[in-house]
PDB file of all heavy atoms in Angstrom:
ATOM      1  N   VAL A 150      37.127-304.257  71.369  1.00 92.00           N
ATOM      2  CA  VAL A 150      38.101-303.316  71.916  1.00 92.00           C
ATOM      3  C   VAL A 150      37.403-302.136  72.573  1.00 92.00           C
ATOM      4  O   VAL A 150      37.726-301.744  73.711  1.00 92.00           O
ATOM      5  CB  VAL A 150      39.051-302.832  70.793  1.00 92.00           C
ATOM      6  CG1 VAL A 150      39.995-301.769  71.331  1.00 92.00           C
ATOM      7  CG2 VAL A 150      39.834-304.009  70.228  1.00 92.00           C
ATOM      8  N   ASN A 151      36.391-301.563  71.918  1.00 92.00           N
ATOM      9  CA  ASN A 151      35.691-300.406  72.482  1.00 92.00           C
ATOM     10  C   ASN A 151      34.903-300.787  73.733  1.00 92.00           C
ATOM     11  O   ASN A 151      34.929-300.076  74.745  1.00 92.00           O
ATOM     12  CB  ASN A 151      34.760-299.813  71.426  1.00 92.00           C
ATOM     13  CG  ASN A 151      34.059-298.563  71.927  1.00 92.00           C
ATOM     14  OD1 ASN A 151      34.682-297.552  72.218  1.00 92.00           O
ATOM     15  ND2 ASN A 151      32.733-298.652  72.055  1.00 92.00           N
ATOM     16  N   ASP A 152      34.214-301.952  73.686  1.00 92.00           N
ATOM     17  CA  ASP A 152      33.439-302.381  74.856  1.00 92.00           C
ATOM     18  C   ASP A 152      34.347-302.699  76.040  1.00 92.00           C
ATOM     19  O   ASP A 152      33.996-302.415  77.191  1.00 92.00           O
ATOM     20  CB  ASP A 152      32.593-303.608  74.502  1.00 92.00           C
ATOM     21  CG  ASP A 152      31.466-303.265  73.552  1.00 92.00           C
ATOM     22  OD1 ASP A 152      31.162-302.063  73.415  1.00 92.00           O
ATOM     23  OD2 ASP A 152      30.915-304.195  72.932  1.00 92.00           O
ATOM     24  N   GLY A 153      35.502-303.285  75.746  1.00 91.00           N
ATOM     25  CA  GLY A 153      36.420-303.599  76.835  1.00 91.00           C
ATOM     26  C   GLY A 153      36.959-302.357  77.519  1.00 91.00           C
ATOM     27  O   GLY A 153      37.063-302.301  78.753  1.00 91.00           O
ATOM     28  N   ARG A 154      37.275-301.336  76.726  1.00 91.00           N
ATOM     29  CA  ARG A 154      37.766-300.093  77.319  1.00 91.00           C
ATOM     30  C   ARG A 154      36.657-299.354  78.058  1.00 91.00           C
ATOM     31  O   ARG A 154      36.900-298.760  79.117  1.00 91.00           O
ATOM     32  CB  ARG A 154      38.363-299.216  76.220  1.00 91.00           C
ATOM     33  CG  ARG A 154      39.710-299.719  75.714  1.00 91.00           C
ATOM     34  CD  ARG A 154      40.170-298.981  74.492  1.00 91.00           C
ATOM     35  NE  ARG A 154      41.522-299.400  74.097  1.00 91.00           N
ATOM     36  CZ  ARG A 154      42.081-299.129  72.926  1.00 91.00           C
ATOM     37  NH1 ARG A 154      41.396-298.422  72.022  1.00 91.00           N
ATOM     38  NH2 ARG A 154      43.294-299.552  72.643  1.00 91.00           N
ATOM     39  N   GLN A 155      35.448-299.402  77.531  1.00 89.00           N
ATOM     40  CA  GLN A 155      34.349-298.748  78.225  1.00 89.00           C
ATOM     41  C   GLN A 155      33.916-299.538  79.464  1.00 89.00           C
ATOM     42  O   GLN A 155      33.320-298.966  80.387  1.00 89.00           O
ATOM     43  CB  GLN A 155      33.154-298.573  77.272  1.00 89.00           C
ATOM     44  CG  GLN A 155      33.433-297.650  76.109  1.00 89.00           C
ATOM     45  CD  GLN A 155      33.943-296.287  76.555  1.00 89.00           C
ATOM     46  OE1 GLN A 155      33.384-295.670  77.466  1.00 89.00           O
ATOM     47  NE2 GLN A 155      35.004-295.807  75.908  1.00 89.00           N
ATOM     48  N   PHE A 156      34.212-300.836  79.481  1.00 90.00           N
ATOM     49  CA  PHE A 156      33.916-301.628  80.680  1.00 90.00           C
ATOM     50  C   PHE A 156      34.729-301.141  81.871  1.00 90.00           C
ATOM     51  O   PHE A 156      34.289-301.265  83.020  1.00 90.00           O
ATOM     52  CB  PHE A 156      34.211-303.114  80.412  1.00 90.00           C
ATOM     53  CG  PHE A 156      34.134-303.967  81.646  1.00 90.00           C
ATOM     54  CD1 PHE A 156      32.906-304.306  82.192  1.00 90.00           C
ATOM     55  CD2 PHE A 156      35.288-304.433  82.262  1.00 90.00           C
ATOM     56  CE1 PHE A 156      32.827-305.092  83.336  1.00 90.00           C
ATOM     57  CE2 PHE A 156      35.219-305.222  83.401  1.00 90.00           C
ATOM     58  CZ  PHE A 156      33.984-305.548  83.933  1.00 90.00           C
ATOM     59  N   MET A 157      35.905-300.565  81.605  1.00 90.00           N
ATOM     60  CA  MET A 157      36.707-300.024  82.686  1.00 90.00           C
ATOM     61  C   MET A 157      36.002-298.867  83.378  1.00 90.00           C
ATOM     62  O   MET A 157      36.251-298.597  84.565  1.00 90.00           O
ATOM     63  CB  MET A 157      38.074-299.572  82.156  1.00 90.00           C
ATOM     64  CG  MET A 157      38.866-300.668  81.457  1.00 90.00           C
ATOM     65  SD  MET A 157      39.161-302.119  82.490  1.00 90.00           S
ATOM     66  CE  MET A 157      40.199-301.435  83.763  1.00 90.00           C
ATOM     67  N   LYS A 158      35.102-298.174  82.670  1.00 89.00           N
ATOM     68  CA  LYS A 158      34.295-297.141  83.309  1.00 89.00           C
ATOM     69  C   LYS A 158      33.365-297.724  84.358  1.00 89.00           C
ATOM     70  O   LYS A 158      32.985-297.042  85.331  1.00 89.00           O
ATOM     71  CB  LYS A 158      33.471-296.403  82.252  1.00 89.00           C
ATOM     72  CG  LYS A 158      34.228-295.364  81.438  1.00 89.00           C
ATOM     73  CD  LYS A 158      33.280-294.668  80.483  1.00 89.00           C
ATOM     74  CE  LYS A 158      33.968-293.511  79.782  1.00 89.00           C
ATOM     75  NZ  LYS A 158      34.272-292.402  80.714  1.00 89.00           N
ATOM     76  N   PHE A 159      32.975-298.981  84.153  1.00 88.00           N
ATOM     77  CA  PHE A 159      32.107-299.639  85.127  1.00 88.00           C
ATOM     78  C   PHE A 159      32.842-299.817  86.456  1.00 88.00           C
ATOM     79  O   PHE A 159      32.226-299.805  87.525  1.00 88.00           O
ATOM     80  CB  PHE A 159      31.665-300.992  84.568  1.00 88.00           C
ATOM     81  CG  PHE A 159      30.639-301.692  85.395  1.00 88.00           C
ATOM     82  CD1 PHE A 159      29.317-301.267  85.393  1.00 88.00           C
ATOM     83  CD2 PHE A 159      30.986-302.774  86.188  1.00 88.00           C
ATOM     84  CE1 PHE A 159      28.367-301.911  86.166  1.00 88.00           C
ATOM     85  CE2 PHE A 159      30.029-303.417  86.955  1.00 88.00           C
ATOM     86  CZ  PHE A 159      28.714-302.981  86.948  1.00 88.00           C
ATOM     87  N   ILE A 160      34.169-299.979  86.388  1.00 89.00           N
ATOM     88  CA  ILE A 160      34.974-300.087  87.601  1.00 89.00           C
ATOM     89  C   ILE A 160      35.273-298.717  88.178  1.00 89.00           C
ATOM     90  O   ILE A 160      35.162-298.498  89.393  1.00 89.00           O
ATOM     91  CB  ILE A 160      36.274-300.856  87.302  1.00 89.00           C
ATOM     92  CG1 ILE A 160      35.946-302.248  86.758  1.00 89.00           C
ATOM     93  CG2 ILE A 160      37.164-300.947  88.537  1.00 89.00           C
ATOM     94  CD1 ILE A 160      37.165-303.032  86.317  1.00 89.00           C
ATOM     95  N   ASP A 161      35.663-297.783  87.312  1.00 89.00           N
ATOM     96  CA  ASP A 161      35.980-296.433  87.741  1.00 89.00           C
ATOM     97  C   ASP A 161      35.536-295.479  86.627  1.00 89.00           C
ATOM     98  O   ASP A 161      36.033-295.575  85.494  1.00 89.00           O
ATOM     99  CB  ASP A 161      37.474-296.283  88.014  1.00 89.00           C
ATOM    100  CG  ASP A 161      37.827-294.944  88.645  1.00 89.00           C
ATOM    101  OD1 ASP A 161      36.967-294.026  88.638  1.00 89.00           O
ATOM    102  OD2 ASP A 161      38.954-294.801  89.148  1.00 89.00           O
ATOM    103  N   PRO A 162      34.591-294.566  86.895  1.00 88.00           N
ATOM    104  CA  PRO A 162      34.100-293.665  85.841  1.00 88.00           C
ATOM    105  C   PRO A 162      35.194-292.793  85.230  1.00 88.00           C
ATOM    106  O   PRO A 162      35.008-292.275  84.120  1.00 88.00           O
ATOM    107  CB  PRO A 162      33.059-292.799  86.576  1.00 88.00           C
ATOM    108  CG  PRO A 162      32.643-293.620  87.764  1.00 88.00           C
ATOM    109  CD  PRO A 162      33.858-294.400  88.156  1.00 88.00           C
TER     110      PRO A 162
END
Side-chain angles (χ1 to χ4, degrees):
V150 175
N151 183 64
D152 290 344
R154 287 171 175 166
Q155 295 306 313
F156 171 75
M157 303 303 295
K158 282 183 173 291
F159 187 75
I160 302 175
D161 188 346

